[in-house]
Amino acid sequence: MTVPLAHGDMIQLDNVVLQPPVALAPLAGITDLPFRQLVASFGAGWVVSEMVASQEMVQAKPGVRERAELGFDQAGTAVQIAGREACWMAEAARMIEANGAAMIDINMGCPAKKVTNGYSGSALLRTPDHALTLIEAVVNAVDVPVTLKTRLGWDDDCLNAADVARRAEDAGIRLVTIHGRTRCQFYKGNADWAAIRAVKDAVSIPVIANGDIVDAATARDALRLSGADGVMIGRGAQGRPWLLAQVAADLYGRSAPKVPQGDDLIDLVCRHYEAMLAFYGEELGRKVARKHLGWYMDDARTEPALRKAILTHISPRDVLRDLPNALSMRQAA
C-alpha cells in the first residue's frame, strides 16, 4: 500500500487518481446512476454512490443491490456502505470489490434518525472504538482504497472528528471527507469549514471539505479555512450537474464547461428525464424524476402553473412535450 498523494489538482490513492479534487457527495435518492453519469460527463474528480446498507445488500433485499450496482464498474466512483456489524460491512465490501468498484467509502456521517437509531452513520461518532472495528474489517477485507465520510462530531460536546480520523488513518483509511457540521445540527446553521482544519492537522492522508459549498467562491473559502486537499459538493449540484466542473475550472485552471442554455438545456433535461425512466422503469422513474425536474425549473424560473402541471403529469410524453416551454422561460425573462 503506497502513501496517498495530494498535490495541486490531483489526489492519488494507489492506482486510483482523483483529478480534479472536486467530488460529488452521496445524497440519498438523488445521486443515482443517471445523475452521477451526468455530473461526470461535465467533469468531476470522483462521484460517490448513494449510501447502501451493508447487511441488506449482502442479503439482497429488493432495491438495495440495485443501488449498489450503480457504481460497481463505473470509473471514478466510490460505493458508499453503512452498517453497525463488522461481518456485514466486510462481506459487503468484498462483494463490491468483486463487482469492479475502484473505491469503497464508509458512511459515518448520515444524520437521519432511521440510520442513527440503528447505530450506523454518524451515530458511530459516539462509539469510536466500535467504529474502528468496522473500519478495520472493511480495510482488511479488500485491496481497493477505502475512504471515510463523517462529521465534526455528534454534538458540540463531542467534537471528535480529528481523533477518529487519526485512528482511521492508522487502520488503513486512505482519505477522509468531513462535513463541517455535527450530527445534531443536521443541515441547519452554517458549515464550519475552519473546524475541519483540526482534522487536516491530525492526519497525513488527504482531507476533503464538505458542507455548504455551492459555487467556486464558497469552495475557495472552504479550502482556505480548512486547509483541505479538495472539496465535495452535494446539494449545490441539484439542478446544476455542471457545477463541479465550474468549480474545478475556477480552482484548478481546468477547461470551463459549456453551461447549457436554450435548446442545449432542454436537450440535457429531457435526456436526464429519459435516463431516469430507463433506469427505474416508467412508474418509479416518473416519481424519482420530479425532484430533479423541479430543481431545473426553479433555476429557469418556470411559471408556477406550468411547473405544477409538469410535476403532476402521468404520461412521460406530456412531460417531454411541456419541458421546452418550461425551460425557455429564463431566456424570455
Side-chain angles (χ1 to χ4, degrees), residues 223-259:
L223 290 176
R224 175 176 57 83
L225 291 168
S226 67
D229 302 289
V231 295
M232 179 173 280
I233 299 174
R235 291 173 292 169
Q238 293 172 173
R240 299 187 294 167
W242 49 83
L243 176 63
L244 276 72
Q246 287 181 310
V247 170
D250 187 274
L251 295 184
Y252 303 109
R254 299 177 69 85
S255 299
K258 180 182 178 183
V259 177

PDB file of all heavy atoms in Angstrom, residues 223-259:
ATOM      1  N   LEU A 223     -11.614  25.712   1.220  1.00  0.00           N
ATOM      2  CA  LEU A 223     -10.232  25.250   1.155  1.00  0.00           C
ATOM      3  C   LEU A 223      -9.317  26.130   1.994  1.00  0.00           C
ATOM      4  O   LEU A 223      -8.439  25.637   2.712  1.00  0.00           O
ATOM      5  CB  LEU A 223      -9.754  25.237  -0.295  1.00  0.00           C
ATOM      6  CG  LEU A 223     -10.366  24.175  -1.205  1.00  0.00           C
ATOM      7  CD1 LEU A 223      -9.871  24.355  -2.632  1.00  0.00           C
ATOM      8  CD2 LEU A 223     -10.042  22.767  -0.718  1.00  0.00           C
ATOM      9  N   ARG A 224      -9.526  27.429   1.927  1.00  0.00           N
ATOM     10  CA  ARG A 224      -8.668  28.356   2.680  1.00  0.00           C
ATOM     11  C   ARG A 224      -8.824  28.166   4.190  1.00  0.00           C
ATOM     12  O   ARG A 224      -7.836  28.123   4.925  1.00  0.00           O
ATOM     13  CB  ARG A 224      -9.026  29.795   2.294  1.00  0.00           C
ATOM     14  CG  ARG A 224      -8.292  30.863   3.092  1.00  0.00           C
ATOM     15  CD  ARG A 224      -8.643  32.252   2.584  1.00  0.00           C
ATOM     16  NE  ARG A 224     -10.070  32.494   2.619  1.00  0.00           N
ATOM     17  CZ  ARG A 224     -10.743  32.899   3.716  1.00  0.00           C
ATOM     18  NH1 ARG A 224     -10.085  33.084   4.854  1.00  0.00           N
ATOM     19  NH2 ARG A 224     -12.040  33.112   3.667  1.00  0.00           N
ATOM     20  N   LEU A 225     -10.044  28.045   4.649  1.00  0.00           N
ATOM     21  CA  LEU A 225     -10.288  27.951   6.082  1.00  0.00           C
ATOM     22  C   LEU A 225      -9.954  26.576   6.648  1.00  0.00           C
ATOM     23  O   LEU A 225      -9.523  26.467   7.796  1.00  0.00           O
ATOM     24  CB  LEU A 225     -11.755  28.294   6.378  1.00  0.00           C
ATOM     25  CG  LEU A 225     -12.138  29.753   6.146  1.00  0.00           C
ATOM     26  CD1 LEU A 225     -13.656  29.923   6.192  1.00  0.00           C
ATOM     27  CD2 LEU A 225     -11.470  30.656   7.182  1.00  0.00           C
ATOM     28  N   SER A 226     -10.145  25.538   5.858  1.00  0.00           N
ATOM     29  CA  SER A 226      -9.938  24.172   6.352  1.00  0.00           C
ATOM     30  C   SER A 226      -8.530  23.652   6.115  1.00  0.00           C
ATOM     31  O   SER A 226      -8.075  22.748   6.825  1.00  0.00           O
ATOM     32  CB  SER A 226     -10.933  23.216   5.679  1.00  0.00           C
ATOM     33  OG  SER A 226     -10.647  23.092   4.291  1.00  0.00           O
ATOM     34  N   GLY A 227      -7.869  24.188   5.097  1.00  0.00           N
ATOM     35  CA  GLY A 227      -6.586  23.621   4.690  1.00  0.00           C
ATOM     36  C   GLY A 227      -6.742  22.298   3.977  1.00  0.00           C
ATOM     37  O   GLY A 227      -5.757  21.572   3.769  1.00  0.00           O
ATOM     38  N   ALA A 228      -7.968  21.954   3.584  1.00  0.00           N
ATOM     39  CA  ALA A 228      -8.254  20.661   2.966  1.00  0.00           C
ATOM     40  C   ALA A 228      -7.612  20.531   1.594  1.00  0.00           C
ATOM     41  O   ALA A 228      -7.181  21.518   0.976  1.00  0.00           O
ATOM     42  CB  ALA A 228      -9.766  20.448   2.865  1.00  0.00           C
ATOM     43  N   ASP A 229      -7.578  19.293   1.115  1.00  0.00           N
ATOM     44  CA  ASP A 229      -6.958  18.979  -0.172  1.00  0.00           C
ATOM     45  C   ASP A 229      -7.949  19.002  -1.329  1.00  0.00           C
ATOM     46  O   ASP A 229      -7.546  18.850  -2.485  1.00  0.00           O
ATOM     47  CB  ASP A 229      -6.313  17.597  -0.097  1.00  0.00           C
ATOM     48  CG  ASP A 229      -5.280  17.524   1.017  1.00  0.00           C
ATOM     49  OD1 ASP A 229      -4.210  18.136   0.867  1.00  0.00           O
ATOM     50  OD2 ASP A 229      -5.555  16.875   2.043  1.00  0.00           O
ATOM     51  N   GLY A 230      -9.228  19.150  -1.026  1.00  0.00           N
ATOM     52  CA  GLY A 230     -10.242  19.175  -2.068  1.00  0.00           C
ATOM     53  C   GLY A 230     -11.595  19.436  -1.439  1.00  0.00           C
ATOM     54  O   GLY A 230     -11.718  19.599  -0.218  1.00  0.00           O
ATOM     55  N   VAL A 231     -12.613  19.494  -2.281  1.00  0.00           N
ATOM     56  CA  VAL A 231     -13.966  19.768  -1.806  1.00  0.00           C
ATOM     57  C   VAL A 231     -14.926  18.708  -2.330  1.00  0.00           C
ATOM     58  O   VAL A 231     -14.695  18.086  -3.369  1.00  0.00           O
ATOM     59  CB  VAL A 231     -14.456  21.167  -2.241  1.00  0.00           C
ATOM     60  CG1 VAL A 231     -13.631  22.257  -1.587  1.00  0.00           C
ATOM     61  CG2 VAL A 231     -14.460  21.308  -3.758  1.00  0.00           C
ATOM     62  N   MET A 232     -16.006  18.520  -1.582  1.00  0.00           N
ATOM     63  CA  MET A 232     -17.091  17.648  -2.003  1.00  0.00           C
ATOM     64  C   MET A 232     -18.373  18.471  -2.008  1.00  0.00           C
ATOM     65  O   MET A 232     -18.675  19.163  -1.039  1.00  0.00           O
ATOM     66  CB  MET A 232     -17.214  16.444  -1.067  1.00  0.00           C
ATOM     67  CG  MET A 232     -18.339  15.493  -1.437  1.00  0.00           C
ATOM     68  SD  MET A 232     -18.318  13.967  -0.426  1.00  0.00           S
ATOM     69  CE  MET A 232     -17.027  13.031  -1.268  1.00  0.00           C
ATOM     70  N   ILE A 233     -19.110  18.379  -3.104  1.00  0.00           N
ATOM     71  CA  ILE A 233     -20.303  19.197  -3.304  1.00  0.00           C
ATOM     72  C   ILE A 233     -21.521  18.291  -3.364  1.00  0.00           C
ATOM     73  O   ILE A 233     -21.530  17.302  -4.093  1.00  0.00           O
ATOM     74  CB  ILE A 233     -20.178  20.024  -4.594  1.00  0.00           C
ATOM     75  CG1 ILE A 233     -18.977  20.974  -4.489  1.00  0.00           C
ATOM     76  CG2 ILE A 233     -21.465  20.795  -4.878  1.00  0.00           C
ATOM     77  CD1 ILE A 233     -18.675  21.729  -5.773  1.00  0.00           C
ATOM     78  N   GLY A 234     -22.542  18.632  -2.600  1.00  0.00           N
ATOM     79  CA  GLY A 234     -23.766  17.847  -2.583  1.00  0.00           C
ATOM     80  C   GLY A 234     -24.953  18.634  -3.098  1.00  0.00           C
ATOM     81  O   GLY A 234     -25.200  18.716  -4.291  1.00  0.00           O
ATOM     82  N   ARG A 235     -25.684  19.252  -2.174  1.00  0.00           N
ATOM     83  CA  ARG A 235     -26.925  19.928  -2.541  1.00  0.00           C
ATOM     84  C   ARG A 235     -26.725  21.049  -3.557  1.00  0.00           C
ATOM     85  O   ARG A 235     -27.632  21.360  -4.325  1.00  0.00           O
ATOM     86  CB  ARG A 235     -27.604  20.466  -1.279  1.00  0.00           C
ATOM     87  CG  ARG A 235     -28.158  19.367  -0.374  1.00  0.00           C
ATOM     88  CD  ARG A 235     -28.678  19.928   0.941  1.00  0.00           C
ATOM     89  NE  ARG A 235     -27.597  20.446   1.775  1.00  0.00           N
ATOM     90  CZ  ARG A 235     -27.791  21.180   2.878  1.00  0.00           C
ATOM     91  NH1 ARG A 235     -29.013  21.504   3.244  1.00  0.00           N
ATOM     92  NH2 ARG A 235     -26.757  21.594   3.588  1.00  0.00           N
ATOM     93  N   GLY A 236     -25.541  21.648  -3.583  1.00  0.00           N
ATOM     94  CA  GLY A 236     -25.282  22.725  -4.542  1.00  0.00           C
ATOM     95  C   GLY A 236     -25.377  22.285  -5.983  1.00  0.00           C
ATOM     96  O   GLY A 236     -25.596  23.105  -6.878  1.00  0.00           O
ATOM     97  N   ALA A 237     -25.214  20.977  -6.226  1.00  0.00           N
ATOM     98  CA  ALA A 237     -25.254  20.471  -7.601  1.00  0.00           C
ATOM     99  C   ALA A 237     -26.659  20.108  -8.055  1.00  0.00           C
ATOM    100  O   ALA A 237     -26.847  19.742  -9.218  1.00  0.00           O
ATOM    101  CB  ALA A 237     -24.347  19.246  -7.734  1.00  0.00           C
ATOM    102  N   GLN A 238     -27.636  20.195  -7.166  1.00  0.00           N
ATOM    103  CA  GLN A 238     -29.004  19.853  -7.542  1.00  0.00           C
ATOM    104  C   GLN A 238     -29.513  20.821  -8.607  1.00  0.00           C
ATOM    105  O   GLN A 238     -29.537  22.033  -8.391  1.00  0.00           O
ATOM    106  CB  GLN A 238     -29.905  19.885  -6.296  1.00  0.00           C
ATOM    107  CG  GLN A 238     -29.556  18.798  -5.300  1.00  0.00           C
ATOM    108  CD  GLN A 238     -30.304  18.919  -3.989  1.00  0.00           C
ATOM    109  OE1 GLN A 238     -30.213  18.038  -3.137  1.00  0.00           O
ATOM    110  NE2 GLN A 238     -31.055  19.996  -3.811  1.00  0.00           N
ATOM    111  N   GLY A 239     -29.879  20.281  -9.751  1.00  0.00           N
ATOM    112  CA  GLY A 239     -30.314  21.115 -10.860  1.00  0.00           C
ATOM    113  C   GLY A 239     -29.181  21.783 -11.610  1.00  0.00           C
ATOM    114  O   GLY A 239     -29.415  22.496 -12.586  1.00  0.00           O
ATOM    115  N   ARG A 240     -27.947  21.529 -11.176  1.00  0.00           N
ATOM    116  CA  ARG A 240     -26.765  22.126 -11.826  1.00  0.00           C
ATOM    117  C   ARG A 240     -25.666  21.072 -11.942  1.00  0.00           C
ATOM    118  O   ARG A 240     -24.625  21.155 -11.279  1.00  0.00           O
ATOM    119  CB  ARG A 240     -26.256  23.331 -11.026  1.00  0.00           C
ATOM    120  CG  ARG A 240     -27.257  24.467 -10.899  1.00  0.00           C
ATOM    121  CD  ARG A 240     -26.614  25.682 -10.246  1.00  0.00           C
ATOM    122  NE  ARG A 240     -26.235  25.426  -8.859  1.00  0.00           N
ATOM    123  CZ  ARG A 240     -25.438  26.233  -8.146  1.00  0.00           C
ATOM    124  NH1 ARG A 240     -24.901  27.302  -8.705  1.00  0.00           N
ATOM    125  NH2 ARG A 240     -25.161  25.938  -6.881  1.00  0.00           N
ATOM    126  N   PRO A 241     -25.857  20.071 -12.768  1.00  0.00           N
ATOM    127  CA  PRO A 241     -24.862  18.990 -12.864  1.00  0.00           C
ATOM    128  C   PRO A 241     -23.506  19.462 -13.386  1.00  0.00           C
ATOM    129  O   PRO A 241     -22.523  18.722 -13.275  1.00  0.00           O
ATOM    130  CB  PRO A 241     -25.511  17.994 -13.832  1.00  0.00           C
ATOM    131  CG  PRO A 241     -26.515  18.788 -14.608  1.00  0.00           C
ATOM    132  CD  PRO A 241     -27.018  19.833 -13.651  1.00  0.00           C
ATOM    133  N   TRP A 242     -23.445  20.649 -13.928  1.00  0.00           N
ATOM    134  CA  TRP A 242     -22.193  21.212 -14.434  1.00  0.00           C
ATOM    135  C   TRP A 242     -21.409  21.943 -13.340  1.00  0.00           C
ATOM    136  O   TRP A 242     -20.286  22.392 -13.583  1.00  0.00           O
ATOM    137  CB  TRP A 242     -22.500  22.194 -15.567  1.00  0.00           C
ATOM    138  CG  TRP A 242     -23.575  23.182 -15.198  1.00  0.00           C
ATOM    139  CD1 TRP A 242     -23.443  24.347 -14.486  1.00  0.00           C
ATOM    140  CD2 TRP A 242     -24.969  23.058 -15.491  1.00  0.00           C
ATOM    141  NE1 TRP A 242     -24.656  24.949 -14.317  1.00  0.00           N
ATOM    142  CE2 TRP A 242     -25.611  24.196 -14.931  1.00  0.00           C
ATOM    143  CE3 TRP A 242     -25.730  22.122 -16.184  1.00  0.00           C
ATOM    144  CZ2 TRP A 242     -26.994  24.394 -15.036  1.00  0.00           C
ATOM    145  CZ3 TRP A 242     -27.092  22.320 -16.287  1.00  0.00           C
ATOM    146  CH2 TRP A 242     -27.717  23.449 -15.728  1.00  0.00           C
ATOM    147  N   LEU A 243     -21.955  22.060 -12.129  1.00  0.00           N
ATOM    148  CA  LEU A 243     -21.331  22.887 -11.091  1.00  0.00           C
ATOM    149  C   LEU A 243     -19.937  22.409 -10.719  1.00  0.00           C
ATOM    150  O   LEU A 243     -19.028  23.221 -10.548  1.00  0.00           O
ATOM    151  CB  LEU A 243     -22.218  22.925  -9.850  1.00  0.00           C
ATOM    152  CG  LEU A 243     -21.629  23.691  -8.657  1.00  0.00           C
ATOM    153  CD1 LEU A 243     -21.425  25.165  -9.006  1.00  0.00           C
ATOM    154  CD2 LEU A 243     -22.514  23.540  -7.423  1.00  0.00           C
ATOM    155  N   LEU A 244     -19.747  21.101 -10.571  1.00  0.00           N
ATOM    156  CA  LEU A 244     -18.431  20.618 -10.164  1.00  0.00           C
ATOM    157  C   LEU A 244     -17.366  21.001 -11.186  1.00  0.00           C
ATOM    158  O   LEU A 244     -16.247  21.374 -10.820  1.00  0.00           O
ATOM    159  CB  LEU A 244     -18.451  19.100  -9.968  1.00  0.00           C
ATOM    160  CG  LEU A 244     -18.944  18.605  -8.605  1.00  0.00           C
ATOM    161  CD1 LEU A 244     -20.448  18.798  -8.461  1.00  0.00           C
ATOM    162  CD2 LEU A 244     -18.575  17.142  -8.388  1.00  0.00           C
ATOM    163  N   ALA A 245     -17.724  20.916 -12.452  1.00  0.00           N
ATOM    164  CA  ALA A 245     -16.770  21.291 -13.496  1.00  0.00           C
ATOM    165  C   ALA A 245     -16.468  22.783 -13.452  1.00  0.00           C
ATOM    166  O   ALA A 245     -15.334  23.203 -13.706  1.00  0.00           O
ATOM    167  CB  ALA A 245     -17.312  20.890 -14.862  1.00  0.00           C
ATOM    168  N   GLN A 246     -17.476  23.589 -13.136  1.00  0.00           N
ATOM    169  CA  GLN A 246     -17.247  25.030 -12.996  1.00  0.00           C
ATOM    170  C   GLN A 246     -16.279  25.318 -11.851  1.00  0.00           C
ATOM    171  O   GLN A 246     -15.366  26.141 -11.980  1.00  0.00           O
ATOM    172  CB  GLN A 246     -18.572  25.753 -12.750  1.00  0.00           C
ATOM    173  CG  GLN A 246     -19.477  25.852 -13.955  1.00  0.00           C
ATOM    174  CD  GLN A 246     -20.766  26.602 -13.632  1.00  0.00           C
ATOM    175  OE1 GLN A 246     -21.438  26.284 -12.645  1.00  0.00           O
ATOM    176  NE2 GLN A 246     -21.097  27.592 -14.432  1.00  0.00           N
ATOM    177  N   VAL A 247     -16.493  24.654 -10.716  1.00  0.00           N
ATOM    178  CA  VAL A 247     -15.623  24.849  -9.563  1.00  0.00           C
ATOM    179  C   VAL A 247     -14.199  24.403  -9.894  1.00  0.00           C
ATOM    180  O   VAL A 247     -13.226  25.095  -9.567  1.00  0.00           O
ATOM    181  CB  VAL A 247     -16.169  24.089  -8.344  1.00  0.00           C
ATOM    182  CG1 VAL A 247     -15.155  24.070  -7.210  1.00  0.00           C
ATOM    183  CG2 VAL A 247     -17.486  24.716  -7.881  1.00  0.00           C
ATOM    184  N   ALA A 248     -14.064  23.274 -10.553  1.00  0.00           N
ATOM    185  CA  ALA A 248     -12.735  22.781 -10.923  1.00  0.00           C
ATOM    186  C   ALA A 248     -12.032  23.736 -11.871  1.00  0.00           C
ATOM    187  O   ALA A 248     -10.814  23.932 -11.780  1.00  0.00           O
ATOM    188  CB  ALA A 248     -12.858  21.400 -11.557  1.00  0.00           C
ATOM    189  N   ALA A 249     -12.780  24.331 -12.774  1.00  0.00           N
ATOM    190  CA  ALA A 249     -12.192  25.290 -13.709  1.00  0.00           C
ATOM    191  C   ALA A 249     -11.664  26.512 -12.966  1.00  0.00           C
ATOM    192  O   ALA A 249     -10.568  27.018 -13.259  1.00  0.00           O
ATOM    193  CB  ALA A 249     -13.221  25.706 -14.755  1.00  0.00           C
ATOM    194  N   ASP A 250     -12.415  26.987 -12.006  1.00  0.00           N
ATOM    195  CA  ASP A 250     -12.020  28.182 -11.268  1.00  0.00           C
ATOM    196  C   ASP A 250     -10.850  27.908 -10.322  1.00  0.00           C
ATOM    197  O   ASP A 250      -9.903  28.694 -10.238  1.00  0.00           O
ATOM    198  CB  ASP A 250     -13.214  28.711 -10.471  1.00  0.00           C
ATOM    199  CG  ASP A 250     -12.913  30.045  -9.805  1.00  0.00           C
ATOM    200  OD1 ASP A 250     -12.355  30.028  -8.686  1.00  0.00           O
ATOM    201  OD2 ASP A 250     -13.214  31.096 -10.403  1.00  0.00           O
ATOM    202  N   LEU A 251     -10.898  26.775  -9.620  1.00  0.00           N
ATOM    203  CA  LEU A 251      -9.879  26.494  -8.618  1.00  0.00           C
ATOM    204  C   LEU A 251      -8.586  25.958  -9.204  1.00  0.00           C
ATOM    205  O   LEU A 251      -7.493  26.249  -8.694  1.00  0.00           O
ATOM    206  CB  LEU A 251     -10.407  25.480  -7.601  1.00  0.00           C
ATOM    207  CG  LEU A 251     -11.585  25.899  -6.721  1.00  0.00           C
ATOM    208  CD1 LEU A 251     -11.896  24.791  -5.728  1.00  0.00           C
ATOM    209  CD2 LEU A 251     -11.305  27.196  -6.005  1.00  0.00           C
ATOM    210  N   TYR A 252      -8.699  25.148 -10.256  1.00  0.00           N
ATOM    211  CA  TYR A 252      -7.533  24.403 -10.725  1.00  0.00           C
ATOM    212  C   TYR A 252      -7.176  24.671 -12.184  1.00  0.00           C
ATOM    213  O   TYR A 252      -6.339  23.972 -12.750  1.00  0.00           O
ATOM    214  CB  TYR A 252      -7.768  22.900 -10.506  1.00  0.00           C
ATOM    215  CG  TYR A 252      -8.064  22.577  -9.067  1.00  0.00           C
ATOM    216  CD1 TYR A 252      -9.344  22.197  -8.667  1.00  0.00           C
ATOM    217  CD2 TYR A 252      -7.069  22.662  -8.091  1.00  0.00           C
ATOM    218  CE1 TYR A 252      -9.632  21.910  -7.334  1.00  0.00           C
ATOM    219  CE2 TYR A 252      -7.345  22.376  -6.756  1.00  0.00           C
ATOM    220  CZ  TYR A 252      -8.623  22.007  -6.389  1.00  0.00           C
ATOM    221  OH  TYR A 252      -8.906  21.723  -5.075  1.00  0.00           O
ATOM    222  N   GLY A 253      -7.826  25.667 -12.781  1.00  0.00           N
ATOM    223  CA  GLY A 253      -7.466  26.054 -14.136  1.00  0.00           C
ATOM    224  C   GLY A 253      -7.853  25.060 -15.204  1.00  0.00           C
ATOM    225  O   GLY A 253      -7.298  25.084 -16.305  1.00  0.00           O
ATOM    226  N   ARG A 254      -8.806  24.206 -14.899  1.00  0.00           N
ATOM    227  CA  ARG A 254      -9.265  23.256 -15.901  1.00  0.00           C
ATOM    228  C   ARG A 254     -10.192  23.944 -16.886  1.00  0.00           C
ATOM    229  O   ARG A 254     -10.667  25.057 -16.657  1.00  0.00           O
ATOM    230  CB  ARG A 254      -9.958  22.075 -15.237  1.00  0.00           C
ATOM    231  CG  ARG A 254      -9.025  21.298 -14.308  1.00  0.00           C
ATOM    232  CD  ARG A 254      -9.735  20.174 -13.610  1.00  0.00           C
ATOM    233  NE  ARG A 254     -10.107  19.096 -14.531  1.00  0.00           N
ATOM    234  CZ  ARG A 254      -9.306  18.113 -14.881  1.00  0.00           C
ATOM    235  NH1 ARG A 254      -8.075  18.069 -14.424  1.00  0.00           N
ATOM    236  NH2 ARG A 254      -9.718  17.162 -15.704  1.00  0.00           N
ATOM    237  N   SER A 255     -10.453  23.297 -17.998  1.00  0.00           N
ATOM    238  CA  SER A 255     -11.322  23.879 -19.013  1.00  0.00           C
ATOM    239  C   SER A 255     -12.716  24.105 -18.440  1.00  0.00           C
ATOM    240  O   SER A 255     -13.299  23.203 -17.832  1.00  0.00           O
ATOM    241  CB  SER A 255     -11.411  22.966 -20.238  1.00  0.00           C
ATOM    242  OG  SER A 255     -10.140  22.796 -20.827  1.00  0.00           O
ATOM    243  N   ALA A 256     -13.236  25.288 -18.638  1.00  0.00           N
ATOM    244  CA  ALA A 256     -14.564  25.606 -18.132  1.00  0.00           C
ATOM    245  C   ALA A 256     -15.622  24.858 -18.947  1.00  0.00           C
ATOM    246  O   ALA A 256     -15.514  24.776 -20.182  1.00  0.00           O
ATOM    247  CB  ALA A 256     -14.819  27.108 -18.215  1.00  0.00           C
ATOM    248  N   PRO A 257     -16.623  24.315 -18.301  1.00  0.00           N
ATOM    249  CA  PRO A 257     -17.667  23.601 -19.044  1.00  0.00           C
ATOM    250  C   PRO A 257     -18.561  24.582 -19.785  1.00  0.00           C
ATOM    251  O   PRO A 257     -18.698  25.747 -19.382  1.00  0.00           O
ATOM    252  CB  PRO A 257     -18.452  22.888 -17.930  1.00  0.00           C
ATOM    253  CG  PRO A 257     -18.321  23.822 -16.765  1.00  0.00           C
ATOM    254  CD  PRO A 257     -16.917  24.366 -16.854  1.00  0.00           C
ATOM    255  N   LYS A 258     -19.154  24.112 -20.836  1.00  0.00           N
ATOM    256  CA  LYS A 258     -20.154  24.903 -21.527  1.00  0.00           C
ATOM    257  C   LYS A 258     -21.485  24.675 -20.814  1.00  0.00           C
ATOM    258  O   LYS A 258     -22.065  23.595 -20.895  1.00  0.00           O
ATOM    259  CB  LYS A 258     -20.261  24.483 -22.994  1.00  0.00           C
ATOM    260  CG  LYS A 258     -21.301  25.285 -23.775  1.00  0.00           C
ATOM    261  CD  LYS A 258     -21.405  24.812 -25.211  1.00  0.00           C
ATOM    262  CE  LYS A 258     -22.481  25.600 -25.955  1.00  0.00           C
ATOM    263  NZ  LYS A 258     -22.636  25.098 -27.353  1.00  0.00           N
ATOM    264  N   VAL A 259     -21.925  25.684 -20.078  1.00  0.00           N
ATOM    265  CA  VAL A 259     -23.176  25.554 -19.337  1.00  0.00           C
ATOM    266  C   VAL A 259     -24.332  25.615 -20.332  1.00  0.00           C
ATOM    267  O   VAL A 259     -24.456  26.578 -21.091  1.00  0.00           O
ATOM    268  CB  VAL A 259     -23.316  26.668 -18.295  1.00  0.00           C
ATOM    269  CG1 VAL A 259     -24.661  26.560 -17.566  1.00  0.00           C
ATOM    270  CG2 VAL A 259     -22.165  26.592 -17.293  1.00  0.00           C
TER     271      VAL A 259
END
